[in-house]
């Protein structure tokens, strides 16, 4: 008898990197996070979309950096000691996302993720993969494929 049966195997938990923007908790799949930078010298790009705050040289590669607050229409805030740039790999694209702080890596069972609510009619809701309730409050799980579609600098 083979090990396959008619009962689907439960989905394995996924790991997510949590971070904060304007006091709210967000997360991206750990498989998309290449690294987390504390400091980086940003070079502004004239004519770039408002959410693009500049580019950085990351070991010889030019990486576009988006402001997470600007991307989600949140009030702007200057960088602080807690600010970090998440270097994200999405498909063939590598980009940076400036966040207020990075918290931890969490493991989430797929059955605990709730579908994203239809909150508004603008395009920010398409960036939400789902929501999960944690002891510290809700965590919004981001869909990076949709988040990065509108960011093209080169």
């Amino acid at each position: 008898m083979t090990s396959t049966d008619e009962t689907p195997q439960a989905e394995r938990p996924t790991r997510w990197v949590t971070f904060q923007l304007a006091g709210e908790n967000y997360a991206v799949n750990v498989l998309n996070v290449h690294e987390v930078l504390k400091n980086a010298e940003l070079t502004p790009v004239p004519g770039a979309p408002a959410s693009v705050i500049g580019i950085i040289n990351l070991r010889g590669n030019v990486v576009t950096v988006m402001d997470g607050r600007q991307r989600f229409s949140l009030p702007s805030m200057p960088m602080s000691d807690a600010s970090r740039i998440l270097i994200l790999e999405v498909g063939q694209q590598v980009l940076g996302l400036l966040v207020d702080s990075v918290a931890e890596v969490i493991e989430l069972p797929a059955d605990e993720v709730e579908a994203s609510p239809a909150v508004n009619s603008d395009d920010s809701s398409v960036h939400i993969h789902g929501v999960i309730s944690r002891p510290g409050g809700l965590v919004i799980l981001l869909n990076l494929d949709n988040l990065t579609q509108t960011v093209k600098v080169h």
Side-chain angles (χ1 to χ4, degrees):
M1 182 171 184
T2 63
S3 63
T4 59
D5 59 19
E6 299 198 17
T7 307
Q9 187 178 26
E11 287 189 46
R12 295 174 52 137
T14 54
R15 296 175 59 164
W16 297 77
V17 176
T18 62
F19 61 91
Q20 287 74 42
L21 284 172
E24 298 299 325
N25 297 311
Y26 295 88
V28 292
N29 193 303
V30 74
L31 297 175
N32 295 109
V33 180
H34 182 64
E35 64 185 285
V36 179
L37 301 178
K38 181 175 180 175
N39 296 314
E41 187 176 327
L42 288 164
T43 302
V45 179
S51 62
V52 174
I53 57 174
I55 56 176
I56 61 172
N57 182 342
L58 185 63
R59 291 181 290 286
N61 296 310
V62 176
V63 176
T64 302
V65 178
M66 292 189 303
D67 183 342
R69 283 175 168 258
Q70 174 72 33
R71 190 70 182 97
F72 293 112
S73 303
L74 299 170
S76 63
M77 186 175 100
M79 289 179 71
S80 71
D81 286 340
S83 297
R84 298 290 184 268
I85 297 174
L86 292 172
I87 302 299
L88 305 171
E89 294 184 47
V90 183
Q92 300 298 316
Q93 188 176 8
V94 175
L95 62 94
L97 180 68
L98 177 65
V99 299
D100 295 348
S101 64
V102 173
E104 63 183 334
V105 174
I106 58 175
E107 196 167 271
L108 301 178
D111 61 350
E112 289 184 20
V113 177
E114 298 176 30
S116 61
V119 186
N120 55 30
S121 60
D122 71 12
D123 74 336
S124 64
S125 61
V126 300
H127 305 306
I128 301 174
H129 168 76
V131 178
I132 188 156
S133 182
R134 304 285 293 174
L138 293 177
V139 178
I140 298 170
L141 308 176
L142 296 180
N143 178 341
L144 292 180
D145 292 329
N146 291 332
L147 181 68
T148 60
Q149 282 179 355
T150 57
V151 179
K152 304 286 187 222
V153 173
H154 335 339

